Amino acid sequence: MAKPNTYYVCSNCGKRSTAYMGRCPQCHEFGTMEQVTEQRETGAAARNVAPSGTRTTPQRLREVETGPESRMAVPVEEFSRVMGGGIVPGSITLIAGDPGIGKCLVGSTRVLNPLTGAYLPITHWAQEKMPVLSIDDQTFQLKPGQATHFFERGLQDVVEVRTQLGRTLRCTPTHPVLTPDGWKPVRELAAGSYIAAPRSLSYFGQDVMPDAEVKLIGYILSDGSAQSSICVTSAIPEVASDLATIATAFGMQLHCYDKKGTLAKQFRFVNDVQQRAQHRSDFATALNQAKRQAGISWAEWSRRANVDYALLRVWHKGETVPDADAFERLVAAVGISPDELASTARSAAELTTPIARFLEKMGLRYSKAANKTVPECIFRLPREQMALFLKTLFTCDGSVYVSNAENAGISYSTISRRLAEDVQHLLLRFGFVVTLRHKPMQVNGTPYSAYELVLLGTSQVQRFLAEIGIMGRESACEQIRAMNAATASSTRRDLIPLTPYFWDHLHKLKGEMSFKTLSSKSDVRIFDRRHERPLCRSTIQKLATYFADPYLATLGDSDVYWDQIQSITPAGCEAVYDISVAEHPNFVANDLIVHNSTLLLQLAAIIADTVGKVLYVSGEESTRQIKMRAERLSIQSDELFLVTETSLEAILEHAQAVNPKILIVDSIQTTFSDDKPSSAGTVTQVRECAARLQMLAKSTGIGVFLVGHVTKEGTIAGPRVLEHIVDTVLYLEGDSFHAYRLLRSVKNRFGATNEVGVFEMRGSGLAEVTNPSEVFLAERVVNASGSSILVTMEGTRPLLVEVQALASATSYPNPRRTANGVDFNRLQLLTAVLTRRVGLRLSEQDVFVNVIGGMTVDEPAADLAIAVSIASSVWDVPVPADLAIVGEVGLSGELRAVSQLPSRLKEAAKLGFKRVIVPKTTRPGDPLPGGIQVIAVRSLMDALNIAMPKEREKK
């Protein structure tokens, strides 16, 4: 009989508890305990239930068949090293890595929430994983997608991408954007390259505001001022009528003043003095009545409400009224409702006018013209009210015209770039793709910058006048409405860059038909000799209609506008962020389309070519996206099978049908089992899916690779039980500032742990680095103080890396200690030893230590190299270029033994080093290599005397 079994599991560390706890007792995180309910069989039924997968029977050890090969050899030396010599059949490996290493955007990048219409900086996704807009690269249609993870990447070098439409994107050079040839990092592009942008963002909010408030914001952002007095200047009669309506809605009066030498008038919002006096009297009456009902004295009320007695006295005399905070305390002190104390009268009697208070709330009070921005509430308006807001803006700061080419245009000008970008985005909500231009200008001989939005095309302007409109300028509007859009000249704006595939496809469709005949029949102008030029969208749409071809229809009706890069320039160093999106790993940011597991794809192709079939299951990317990435990496293999699937049951069926040698599941956090009611990524689902895939591996001999997500803290997402289930845990790590990635084995039942493989990130993918020591020392500056060469061990591999230190005098009482690539506490210990045992005055100096190449060294054998680098920087004496160093430093300044010394010495000798300083207590064991002098010393002081002898004495 089945009984429900309920318990709670921490989603962060996997801690299981029978009682709910607000804070996990193991990892101490709040709000991570999730309830899990399972049906548990009891009695005889529980003993007879077979586990998932194929049942096995016990065998004697000598009867177990191991097969002709115990491992599947992979011709990638760095990967085989980490795996312990190859892939063990039936093993299950978890490979985790930061999916967005280097692919980041600055914090000011704004992202659209398609459900609410909010347009917010990307950092808002840290608090809540809100929806975003992403593109389906099969249909090229935009649709909402759910953000699943938020990543903080720290400070990184960024570049600014500026496009022909005037849009900007500040990102790391490795961040991919969509091009006609697929996703490419920004650093591989140049001026003139086409990148994808949305043609339309037809998503609006539902937060309705009074029309008077919407119009007021529009007028203040254009011809208005919100300084000491709040006013709007205009010569348009419709604007005067609007402003009178706004004044009435806020309970204020509108005063009109003439402006000398112009037809424009200034309209100022003011309070009615008599009405304000009456409101103060009404509030005083309500205050006195409330006192009598409460039966307390003024002094007692003053004490309870924590307000000054003298102020309370002038309030009940009707001379002034309290502010909002004091009013709330008065109400709470006697337990009455705000209405009983005439809250409306108090608000109307305040010295600050209702319009001023509203503009303060919107962040527009006292705003300067160059710093104006659209308030966040405008982005969440419904379509009709957003159109009303834009109509107000364009009425004041816009213009409508007909060009010499008999084509209509409309423009909007401002001196605030942020305001221009906001309006450009709002117009995109209506499907208007406008260009933002920078216009240097002068007023009275003083230069300043203006920003102009331009919309060209008779049909587009006619649609603008119909959907949004503009007040005034009636003659120009009537002229444009009467124009024939079909006969207007082309603006050559909405162009589609074409790939060789397009022309091959078109040649197949037309067959023997000439391009001249095709142009005549399809009502287009197309020539065979213009392959490198883009075509107008309308031309491709007509071709799609003529041939009834789905590919051409997808191309012509896509949601992509192909913008061109104008410039890519370095933009300094900033804190950067990224988000992961379910289903389609991309999203719209700053009105451009940007991307958010190349190693496994390359590995899958190699294994497929050398070992046998590989099934690559992706839960995050479509097969077309993987194919595009494979083409960029020049991957082609008939034995590599792709499928997009997240259902575990379907994945097991695919594995049974294909019968691969290797199964790759990308990722385990997106996989779910129909047997469990919880959603993908929860503790229950991750544990169940991993356990059943483990059973598949053990029962069939298929090698299974699971891709795991990484949290922003750098740990594998999901329960810790996931790492216990698998045989091997690999971690792809690397410094985002460098091109090198380290594949580290954190756990390996079939090989050494902490083994590393080194790869270099290139445009063609990850390339193995067979001699990492040589690479890490390639850019070393010889005879530079503060630098030494460390011989470290990563697993069984010796590596030579450069350790740099910088000691700089500080005027602060607490000097800084900064460690990059070494343990911070170890650095603190070494600075204390150098101060006490060597006599360096490090209490007066900031100390910075860095391991070159993005390496992280955590073994104690690095102590001596770190200490020598610090001393070299303090004394400003270089360490000899042919000297390598290894040794652990004790608290007494003594040097302690290190392991695997022969391997370290062989690596140093191979790279041309002539001398190595080692602890005297180290016993080499194996014979030492020739051609290198081993200098054994007992203390840190002895090592420093050898590394910097005579030069140090001179200092």
Side-chain angles (χ1 to χ4, degrees):
M1 183 178 73
K3 293 182 63 178
N5 180 31
T6 300
Y7 55 92
Y8 299 88
V9 178
C10 176
S11 60
N12 184 53
C13 67
K15 174 66 177 179
R16 179 168 171 167
S17 173
T18 56
Y20 176 77
M21 300 180 182
R23 181 176 184 176
C24 174
Q26 181 165 291
C27 66
H28 307 295
E29 291 288 332
F30 287 96
T32 58
M33 303 299 289
E34 298 180 358
Q35 181 175 334
V36 177
T37 303
E38 296 180 343
Q39 298 296 324
R40 183 181 60 186
E41 297 290 341
T42 59
R47 293 189 294 272
N48 294 329
V49 173
S52 301
T54 305
R55 299 200 58 171
T56 59
T57 56
Q59 290 181 277
R60 289 187 177 91
L61 175 64
R62 64 174 180 270
E63 296 175 353
V64 177
E65 297 182 0
T66 59
E69 295 182 359
S70 59
R71 295 178 185 267
M72 290 182 278
V74 180
V76 181
E77 182 180 340
E78 293 299 296
F79 181 78
S80 294
R81 171 190 291 275
V82 177
M83 292 295 294
I87 302 173
V88 177
S91 64
I92 181 167
T93 301
L94 173 64
I95 180 167
D98 206 333
I101 289 178
K103 304 176 181 178
C104 315
L105 306 167
V106 301
S108 59
T109 305
R110 289 188 289 175
V111 180
L112 170 65
N113 182 339
L115 295 189
T116 65
Y119 192 46
L120 301 168
I122 191 173
T123 50
H124 282 66
W125 270 253
Q127 289 78 34
E128 180 183 356
K129 307 304 181 292
M130 297 176 285
V132 297
L133 268 183
S134 59
I135 193 158
D136 185 334
D137 63 356
Q138 291 186 351
T139 63
F140 281 103
Q141 299 294 315
L142 288 168
K143 63 178 184 179
Q146 181 59 47
T148 57
H149 295 83
F150 178 84
F151 303 98
E152 298 181 21
R153 307 298 188 193
L155 292 173
Q156 295 192 33
D157 292 327
V158 297
V159 296
E160 180 177 274
V161 180
R162 193 177 295 275
T163 72
Q164 294 287 357
L165 290 178
R167 296 189 176 119
T168 57
L169 181 72
R170 296 167 69 88
C171 61
T172 52
T174 54
H175 201 101
V177 292
L178 183 59
T179 72
D181 297 320
W183 296 98
K184 288 190 175 182
V186 168
R187 68 183 177 190
E188 295 184 9
L189 305 177
S193 300
Y194 283 95
I195 59 175
R199 285 179 66 210
S200 175
L201 296 176
S202 55
Y203 295 89
F204 299 88
Q206 302 296 326
D207 295 354
V208 180
M209 296 173 61
D211 286 352
E213 294 182 357
V214 175
K215 290 182 178 181
L216 176 63
I217 294 174
Y219 285 124
I220 293 300
L221 286 176
S222 50
D223 284 342
S225 172
Q227 301 301 314
S228 56
S229 63
I230 299 172
C231 56
V232 176
T233 301
S234 178
I236 301 175
E238 293 90 341
V239 172
S241 176
D242 262 356
L243 296 176
T245 304
I246 293 172
T248 302
F250 280 91
M252 299 181 66
Q253 292 182 339
L254 186 69
H255 289 182
C256 179
Y257 303 92
D258 293 328
K259 293 183 71 70
K260 292 182 180 180
T262 177
L263 296 177
K265 298 180 182 296
Q266 185 185 84
F267 301 90
R268 186 176 301 173
F269 296 100
V270 297
N271 267 341
D272 189 317
V273 177
Q274 294 182 349
Q275 286 186 356
R276 180 184 290 176
Q278 182 60 48
H279 290 315
R280 289 200 298 265
S281 176
D282 292 343
F283 177 76
T285 301
L287 194 66
N288 283 278
Q289 185 176 354
K291 171 186 172 294
R292 289 193 297 270
Q293 292 178 350
I296 59 175
S297 65
W298 293 115
E300 176 63 16
W301 198 353
S302 171
R303 186 187 62 79
R304 289 187 187 181
N306 192 26
V307 298
D308 188 87
Y309 177 78
L311 285 176
L312 186 58
R313 180 185 179 92
V314 297
W315 293 339
H316 75 74
K317 287 185 175 182
E319 297 176 5
T320 62
V321 294
D323 60 21
D325 291 339
F327 177 78
E328 291 179 1
R329 294 198 299 272
L330 288 173
V331 169
V334 294
I336 59 177
S337 68
D339 290 340
E340 292 180 78
L341 206 55
S343 61
T344 303
R346 184 213 66 83
S347 179
E350 271 194 295
L351 185 61
T352 305
T353 67
I355 283 183
R357 290 196 299 272
F358 172 75
L359 294 178
E360 286 178 0
K361 180 181 176 182
M362 294 294 104
L364 297 177
R365 190 74 200 275
Y366 303 114
S367 59
K368 301 290 185 181
N371 301 322
K372 289 182 178 179
T373 63
V374 173
E376 197 272 327
C377 61
I378 297 296
F379 296 101
R380 294 184 277 107
L381 290 176
R383 184 186 184 98
E384 296 77 13
Q385 287 199 310
M386 193 175 291
L388 178 63
F389 172 77
L390 290 172
K391 180 179 181 179
T392 305
L393 281 184
F394 275 82
T395 295
C396 296
D397 288 339
S399 63
V400 182
Y401 56 89
V402 178
S403 66
N404 294 332
E406 295 299 316
N407 220 330
I410 191 166
S411 65
Y412 169 82
S413 295
T414 175
I415 64 171
S416 168
R417 180 177 181 89
R418 174 62 181 271
L419 179 56
E421 292 174 344
D422 290 347
V423 177
Q424 185 184 36
H425 170 82
L426 292 175
L427 288 170
L428 195 59
R429 301 279 186 100
F430 294 86
F432 296 113
V433 179
V434 300
T435 303
L436 193 162
R437 302 191 305 193
H438 174 225
K439 297 178 62 178
M441 303 183 72
Q442 284 192 351
V443 174
N444 298 327
T446 302
Y448 76 100
S449 293
Y451 300 93
E452 183 183 42
L453 296 176
V454 178
L455 176 66
L456 296 176
T458 301
S459 62
Q460 290 288 82
V461 176
Q462 287 176 343
R463 187 165 68 87
F464 178 93
L465 296 177
E467 295 185 21
I468 296 176
I470 187 171
M471 291 184 287
R473 307 160 182 88
E474 286 303 323
S475 59
C477 291
E478 289 301 324
Q479 180 185 357
I480 292 173
R481 292 189 183 100
M483 293 174 64
N484 186 352
T487 61
S489 59
S490 173
T491 59
R492 297 288 297 174
R493 288 175 55 79
D494 194 358
L495 304 177
I496 298 179
L498 304 173
T499 61
Y501 177 81
F502 168 85
W503 292 106
D504 293 341
H505 186 76
L506 185 60
H507 277 285
K508 292 178 182 178
L509 289 176
K510 75 180 187 64
E512 299 299 325
M513 186 189 309
S514 67
F515 275 89
K516 183 176 181 180
T517 304
L518 174 61
S519 298
S520 175
K521 289 186 176 182
S522 59
D523 190 27
V524 300
R525 295 183 64 188
I526 185 169
F527 304 96
D528 189 28
R529 63 179 181 273
R530 302 173 71 176
H531 282 194
E532 296 183 358
R533 298 187 183 182
L535 291 178
C536 290
R537 185 177 299 274
S538 59
T539 299
I540 294 181
Q541 289 173 337
K542 289 179 180 179
L543 290 173
T545 302
Y546 175 75
F547 288 112
D549 182 66
Y551 166 73
L552 294 179
T554 298
L555 202 61
D557 297 332
S558 72
D559 287 340
V560 172
Y561 181 97
W562 293 102
D563 200 357
Q564 277 187 287
I565 293 179
Q566 190 177 61
S567 64
I568 302 176
T569 55
C573 184
E574 289 190 46
V576 293
Y577 310 87
D578 197 11
I579 55 180
S580 291
V581 183
E583 189 174 2
H584 301 293
N586 61 78
F587 57 99
V588 176
N590 275 14
D591 294 342
L592 292 170
I593 300 172
V594 298
H595 200 275
N596 49 304
S597 20
T598 301
L599 173 65
L600 277 183
L601 182 59
Q602 292 176 260
L603 182 64
I606 294 172
I607 295 174
D609 290 335
T610 57
V611 177
K613 293 180 182 178
V614 175
L615 177 59
Y616 191 108
V617 181
S618 175
E620 299 187 345
E621 295 181 278
S622 66
T623 54
R624 180 171 178 176
Q625 287 175 308
I626 300 173
K627 176 63 181 298
M628 291 170 62
R629 185 150 45 91
E631 290 176 346
R632 177 172 65 86
L633 301 174
S634 300
I635 292 175
Q636 294 180 349
S637 178
D638 291 335
E639 296 298 306
L640 176 57
F641 295 80
L642 306 177
V643 65
T644 299
E645 187 57 71
T646 55
S647 169
L648 175 64
E649 287 70 23
I651 292 173
L652 296 177
E653 291 177 4
H654 290 310
Q656 184 178 5
V658 177
N659 190 26
K661 292 286 187 180
I662 299 293
L663 170 65
I664 299 174
V665 180
D666 184 4
S667 66
I668 188 63
Q669 278 83 7
T670 62
T671 306
F672 68 93
S673 172
D674 295 332
D675 295 340
K676 300 296 180 182
S678 54
S679 59
T682 60
V683 174
T684 303
Q685 286 287 3
V686 171
R687 183 176 59 247
E688 174 69 13
C689 293
R692 292 180 62 179
L693 288 169
Q694 180 196 41
M695 187 62 68
L696 170 72
K698 302 306 179 187
S699 61
T700 63
I702 296 175
V704 178
F705 282 85
L706 307 179
V707 178
H709 290 165
V710 174
T711 66
K712 64 182 181 181
E713 289 81 14
T715 59
I716 299 175
R720 301 294 296 184
V721 69
L722 177 62
E723 299 177 49
H724 298 313
I725 290 175
V726 301
D727 299 311
T728 305
V729 178
L730 305 181
Y731 200 98
L732 185 63
E733 61 187 29
D735 191 332
S736 302
F737 295 95
H738 297 87
Y740 300 107
R741 302 289 180 263
L742 305 182
L743 184 65
R744 187 186 301 274
S745 63
V746 180
K747 168 188 175 182
N748 194 348
R749 289 175 178 157
F750 311 113
T753 59
N754 211 36
E755 193 71 77
V756 296
V758 184
F759 297 84
E760 181 182 4
M761 180 65 74
R762 299 176 181 170
S764 57
L766 288 171
E768 60 176 330
V769 178
T770 56
N771 192 348
S773 295
E774 186 176 7
V775 170
F776 291 143
L777 301 181
E779 299 180 1
R780 179 192 179 196
V781 179
V782 180
N783 294 327
S785 62
S787 171
S788 66
I789 302 303
L790 163 67
V791 189
T792 185
M793 295 295 298
E794 290 289 346
T796 60
R797 158 180 274 170
L799 291 177
L800 270 70
V801 295
E802 181 182 4
V803 178
Q804 289 185 340
L806 176 64
S808 175
T810 179
S811 58
Y812 295 99
N814 296 318
R816 287 182 294 172
R817 302 288 184 259
T818 303
N820 185 21
V822 299
D823 182 65
F824 176 77
N825 292 327
R826 203 71 188 173
L827 174 60
Q828 293 277 55
L829 181 149
L830 291 173
T831 54
V833 172
L834 286 168
T835 301
R836 178 76 175 181
R837 306 301 179 190
V838 180
L840 296 183
R841 302 180 64 179
L842 296 178
S843 60
E844 301 173 357
Q845 307 212 33
D846 294 331
V847 177
F848 307 88
V849 174
N850 178 45
V851 179
I852 300 301
M855 281 283 296
T856 298
V857 179
D858 55 7
E859 66 164 340
D863 289 353
L864 184 56
I866 297 172
V868 170
S869 295
I870 296 173
S872 172
S873 177
V874 172
W875 291 326
D876 196 19
V877 175
V879 177
D882 64 347
L883 179 67
I885 300 170
V886 62
E888 178 184 353
V889 177
L891 293 179
S892 299
E894 81 280 9
L895 299 186
R896 296 184 175 274
V898 298
S899 62
Q900 304 181 61
L901 183 60
S903 296
R904 300 176 194 258
L905 297 177
K906 288 178 183 178
E907 183 72 11
K910 185 172 68 174
L911 291 180
F913 286 85
K914 303 300 182 183
R915 297 182 296 161
V916 178
I917 296 179
V918 301
K920 196 163 188 176
T921 55
T922 301
R923 296 180 180 179
D926 297 336
L928 299 179
I932 190 168
Q933 179 185 0
V934 179
I935 306 173
V937 296
R938 291 188 178 278
S939 67
L940 173 59
M941 182 67 77
D942 294 339
L944 294 176
N945 288 332
I946 293 173
M948 294 165 286
K950 297 180 180 179
E951 288 85 353
R952 178 192 161 194
E953 294 174 3
K954 294 178 182 178
K955 293 289 178 179

